[in-house]
Amino acid sequence: KKIIIDEIEHETFFAKEAEKFGISNIRDFVLGMNDGLVEILGAVTGLSAVYVNNPLMVAVSGSIVGVAGALSMGIGAFISVRSQRQVNKALNEKIEILFDVSPSKALGTLKEHLKEMNIPPQVIEDVVKKIDDKKALAKLLIKEDDENEIRSGLFTGFAYLFGVLFPVLPYFFAPSSLVALPFSILFAGLALGTVGFIISVLSGIDIKKKVMEMVVAGFSAAGFSYLFGKVIQAIFGIDIDV
C-alpha cells in the first residue's frame, strides 16, 4: 500500500513539474514541427523543379511560406484551445443549472456517463452519495481543460518554424537547387525520424513502424511536389535560368 501511495505521489509531482515547465505541450511541439517539416519540404522540393539555378529564391520563398504557416498554426492552436475551454466552461455551467433545476435528471445523466466508463454500479452509487457538491459532480461529466492557450500557440508556432529550418537551410548555401535538394531531403528525413521516435516513445507505438511512417509520408510529399513543379513548368512553359 505504501509503495502504491509513493508511486501516486511521484506521478503527481512529475505531472505538476511537467505542467510548470511546459513539457505537457510536447504534443503541440511535435505536431507543429512535423507540419513544418512536411509542408515546407514539399514546398521547396516543388520550387526546386522550377528555380533550378536559383536556390536563394527557393530558400526565401520557403522561409516566407514557413513564417506564414507558423503564424497560422500558432493562431489556430491558440483559438482551438481557448474555444475548447470556453465550450467546456459553458457546458459545466449548464450542468450545474441542471443540478439545481432537476437534480434527479442530472444524477441520472451522471450515472449513465460513469457507466459508459465501465465503472461498477456500486462504485457509481457510492460516488453519487458521497459527493454532494454540484460543481464537483459536474466536473465528472465535463472535464475541465486547463491547458494554456498562449503557451500552446507559442509551442506550436515556434515548433513549426523549427521544422522549417531543416528543409530550407541547404538552399541558402548551395550553388544550385539540385545540389541543395538531397541535403534538404536528408536533413528533413533525419528530423522526421526524430519526431517519429518521440511520438512512438510517448504513445507506446512501435518505434520502427512510426519512424518509417513519418519518413515515407514526408518523402512522398516531396516527390509529388517535385513532379507537380515539373508539370507546372511544362504547362506554362516556365524556364528560369537565373
Side-chain angles (χ1 to χ4, degrees):
K1 184 178 178 181
K2 186 178 183 302
I3 294 174
I4 294 173
I5 293 173
D6 288 341
E7 285 298 319
I8 293 172
E9 288 177 349
H10 290 158
E11 288 179 10
T12 303
F13 171 77
F14 285 122
K16 288 180 179 178
E17 290 299 305
E19 182 66 27
K20 185 192 299 182
F21 292 105
I23 300 173
S24 59
N25 288 104
I26 194 167
R27 176 199 61 194
D28 299 317
F29 188 88
V30 169
L31 292 177
M33 184 176 172
N34 178 64
D35 283 350
L37 280 165
V38 175
E39 290 175 19
I40 303 306
L41 176 61
V44 297
T45 305
L47 290 169
S48 296
V50 179
Y51 297 102
V52 176
N53 297 313
N54 195 344
L56 186 59
M57 177 65 77
V58 177
V60 172
S61 300
S63 299
I64 292 171
V65 173
V67 171
L71 289 171
S72 176
M73 289 288 293
I75 293 170
F78 173 86
I79 293 173
S80 174
V81 173
R82 186 178 181 84
S83 299
Q84 185 62 58
R85 192 173 70 249
Q86 290 171 336
V87 168
N88 286 350
K89 183 180 178 182
L91 288 173
N92 269 317
E93 289 173 354
K94 288 181 180 179
I95 291 170
E96 287 176 25
I97 293 172
L98 183 61
F99 271 105
D100 284 332
V101 176
S102 179
S104 59
K105 185 176 181 180
L107 286 174
T109 303
L110 174 61
K111 289 178 181 179
E112 285 298 320
H113 176 71
L114 295 176
K115 192 182 294 183
E116 289 173 1
M117 297 170 64
N118 295 321
I119 296 176
Q122 186 57 48
V123 175
I124 294 174
E125 292 298 329
D126 290 341
V127 168
V128 172
K129 287 178 182 177
K130 291 179 180 179
I131 301 178
D132 55 1
D133 184 355
K134 63 183 179 182
K135 288 187 177 181
L137 290 171
K139 287 178 182 178
L140 291 175
L141 281 171
I142 305 295
K143 182 183 177 183
E144 277 196 351
D145 192 352
D146 57 355
E147 188 175 356
N148 187 300
E149 62 266 29
I150 295 176
R151 189 166 61 196
S152 179
L154 289 174
F155 265 77
T156 304
F158 280 114
Y160 189 101
L161 280 178
F162 185 63
V164 168
L165 287 175
F166 294 94
V168 165
L169 203 58
Y171 289 90
F172 282 104
F173 305 101
S176 76
S177 295
L178 294 182
V179 172
L181 183 57
F183 290 99
S184 177
I185 293 173
L186 174 63
F187 293 161
L190 291 172
L192 283 167
T194 303
V195 172
F197 175 79
I198 294 171
I199 292 174
S200 62
V201 169
L202 291 174
S203 59
I205 302 172
D206 180 72
I207 294 176
K208 184 178 179 181
K209 182 179 179 181
K210 191 61 185 177
V211 169
M212 286 298 297
E213 178 185 305
M214 297 286 291
V215 173
V216 169
F219 286 178
S220 297
F224 283 120
S225 297
Y226 187 82
L227 290 174
F228 183 73
K230 282 295 186 184
V231 169
I232 293 298
Q233 186 181 37
I235 291 175
F236 293 100
I238 300 173
D239 187 15
I240 301 173
D241 295 322
V242 293

